[in-house]
């Protein structure tokens, strides 16, 4: 099944409207352009070069951050999206379309990996249009997904009525995303975790305690040996977790400005958490489900823990008991 058919099926039985179908289709076209652009990195362009500008969260913008956003915005102009909420913009972009759907995007997740040929991606969230607060709670998303530009260009996607997310791989010969695998399901238990352990000294006690038990392996309270994987692009770590399980943690910590971690609620945590819950996993800020949080500002950060329910429950218990 191609992505076109996936969309067509959902349009046919009214599970999505033309607006949502059109937006997903344009995002897929934009991702194909971004994927081709990345393959020319270092030949035609230096996509990892810093532009000298910063986004509203204080990150240095790379050439590809700006280019990817331009490509997506140009594609979304052909849709009914009323607003585009982007990591790279201070405020929502008003498109001038009178549609009822807003799109939140992280045009290029994993910017620090662009220059070193490591997987990066694009995250997106489709929401009902609203003026205030800035965006709906994650549970009310209409659809969400992300692309990974890696050895393969992949897409994982779910619309609100889907029971489970669906994975796709870009077939360059057909210029189309082709469905792969069955219903995505994250195993309850895992031995694999992803966290940037360089910040261990700054973590708050619940995460330090969880890590202590994990590192103690078979002698620890969890009684098993773990493995660590950390790509540094959340999309790549998340894709791995959707394929073979695991947990991802970007907690808040004591560094200045990092009390709520690094990842942003509206265009990073919400879409990933929407997919995670549909795949049977959990996504929390340590206490509450990410999808139940009410966004108060566009670039609001949140601690983010997602993946296997057994480890998520342990982390929740440690946070509640602290
Ligand atoms: P970005 O959207 O600016 O690329 O930032 C998000 C990235 C995630 O992909 C990744 O998990 C995290 O930030 C890495 O942060 P750190 O360098 O602190 O480990
Ligand atoms: Mg990001």
């Amino acid at each position: 099944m191609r992505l076109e058919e996936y969309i067509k099926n959902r349009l046919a039985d009214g599970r999505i409207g033309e607006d949502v179908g059109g937006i997903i289709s344009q995002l897929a076209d934009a991702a194909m352009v971004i994927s081709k652009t990345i393959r020319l990195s270092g030949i035609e362009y230096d996509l990892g070069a810093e532009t000298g500008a910063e986004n509203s969260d204080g990150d240095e913008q790379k050439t590809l951050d700006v280019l990817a956003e331009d490509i997506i915005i140009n594609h979304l102009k052909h849709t009914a999206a009323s607003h585009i909420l982007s990591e790279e913009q201070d405020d929502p972009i008003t498109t001038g379309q009178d549609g009822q759907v807003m799109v939140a995007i992280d045009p290029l997740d994993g910017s620090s990996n662009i220059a070193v040929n490591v997987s990066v991606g694009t995250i997106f969230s489709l929401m009902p249009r609203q003026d205030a607060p800035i965006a709906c709670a994650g549970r009310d998303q209409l659809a969400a997904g992300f692309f990974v530009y890696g050895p393969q260009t992949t897409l994982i996607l779910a619309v609100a009525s889907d029971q489970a997310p669906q994975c796709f791989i870009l077939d360059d010969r057909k210029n189309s995303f082709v469905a792969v695998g069955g219903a995505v399901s994250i195993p309850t238990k895992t031995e694999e975790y992803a966290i940037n352990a360089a910040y261990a000294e700054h973590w708050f006690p619940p995460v330090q305690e969880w890590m202590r038990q994990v590192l103690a392996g078979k002698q620890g309270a969890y009684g098993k040996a773990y493995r660590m994987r950390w790509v540094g692009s959340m999309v790549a770590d998340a894709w791995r977790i959707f394929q073979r399980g695991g947990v991802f943690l970007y907690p808040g910590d004591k560094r200045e400005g990092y009390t709520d971690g690094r990842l942003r609620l509206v265009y990073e945590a919400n879409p990933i958490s929407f997919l995670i819950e549909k795949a049977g996993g959990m996504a929390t800020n340590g206490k509450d489900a990410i999808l139940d949080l009410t966004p108060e500002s566009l670039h609001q950060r949140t601690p983010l823990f997602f993946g296997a329910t057994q480890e998520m429950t342990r982390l929740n218990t440690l946070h509640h008991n602290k």
Side-chain angles (χ1 to χ4, degrees):
M1 177 181 60
R2 293 189 188 191
L3 177 63
E4 293 85 330
E5 199 182 333
Y6 168 97
I7 295 172
K8 213 170 110 195
N9 290 343
R10 282 156 185 75
L11 283 170
D13 59 16
R15 281 188 279 160
I16 58 171
E18 295 282 350
D19 43 9
V20 169
I23 291 167
I24 294 172
S25 159
Q26 285 296 321
L27 286 168
D29 286 355
M32 286 188 231
V33 178
I34 296 170
S35 169
K36 284 193 183 121
T37 307
I38 289 171
R39 290 188 201 291
L40 294 173
S41 184
I43 304 171
E44 294 280 323
Y45 319 90
D46 180 0
L47 294 172
E50 291 187 348
T51 60
E54 283 185 356
N55 68 16
S56 45
D57 210 24
D59 296 333
E60 286 273 3
Q61 285 180 318
K62 312 278 196 317
T63 305
L64 187 59
D65 287 319
V66 177
L67 212 54
E69 190 196 39
D70 280 353
I71 292 167
I72 294 169
I73 290 174
N74 283 329
H75 279 79
L76 289 178
K77 277 186 188 151
H78 301 290
T79 71
S82 65
H83 295 85
I84 303 167
L85 284 55
S86 167
E87 175 175 333
E88 303 303 333
Q89 301 289 327
D90 292 348
D91 299 305
I93 300 169
T94 307
T95 63
Q97 299 286 347
D98 195 25
Q100 292 307 309
V101 181
M102 309 196 303
V103 185
I105 48 167
D106 177 354
L108 212 285
D109 182 63
S111 302
S112 68
N113 279 327
I114 301 168
V116 291
N117 194 25
V118 172
S119 298
V120 293
T122 296
I123 313 174
F124 59 90
S125 159
L126 275 61
M127 298 169 284
R129 178 178 180 169
Q130 58 187 91
D131 299 317
I134 197 84
C136 65
R139 215 166 280 294
D140 297 329
Q141 290 170 100
L142 301 169
F146 63 87
F147 299 93
V148 181
Y149 313 111
Q152 299 159 325
T153 295
T154 59
L155 162 66
I156 179 164
L157 167 70
V159 303
S161 59
D162 286 343
Q163 297 281 315
Q166 176 67 54
C167 293
F168 298 85
I169 295 180
L170 176 61
D171 186 336
D172 286 316
R173 299 163 305 181
K174 298 177 181 152
N175 253 338
S176 184
F177 284 90
V178 179
V180 288
V184 181
S185 163
I186 297 174
T188 321
K189 298 180 182 175
T190 186
E191 289 82 44
E192 201 161 271
Y193 66 93
I195 190 168
N196 187 340
Y199 307 132
E201 61 167 316
H202 307 292
W203 293 336
F204 297 114
V207 173
Q208 283 184 331
E209 176 56 18
W210 180 80
M211 199 50 150
R212 218 180 337 269
Q213 300 307 333
V214 164
L215 291 177
K218 290 197 171 133
Q219 315 316 321
Y222 309 148
K224 58 183 171 183
Y226 287 77
R227 296 183 299 276
M228 194 204 74
R229 294 286 184 279
W230 176 256
V231 180
S233 294
M234 181 177 61
V235 285
D237 284 309
W239 178 263
R240 184 188 62 250
I241 290 169
F242 283 112
Q243 300 310 309
R244 69 171 188 214
V247 285
F248 174 98
L249 300 86
Y250 204 122
D253 65 50
K254 293 182 210 139
R255 286 174 298 158
E256 201 184 331
Y258 282 81
T259 311
D260 289 323
R262 166 166 172 74
L263 298 167
R264 278 59 54 114
L265 175 60
V266 174
Y267 44 80
E268 292 178 318
N270 268 345
I272 299 280
S273 304
F274 181 84
L275 298 163
I276 287 282
E277 285 206 6
K278 284 196 183 289
M282 273 171 76
T284 79
N285 62 0
K287 287 187 169 152
D288 302 308
I290 294 288
L291 295 183
D292 290 332
L293 305 176
T294 306
E296 278 157 19
S297 63
L298 174 51
H299 301 291
Q300 176 180 341
R301 293 181 179 202
T302 178
L304 179 59
F305 306 87
F306 64 79
T309 55
Q310 184 183 51
E311 301 299 338
M312 291 295 114
T313 307
R314 286 172 174 158
L315 281 157
N316 268 14
T317 307
L318 287 164
H319 281 90
H320 279 292
N321 292 347
K322 78 166 190 269

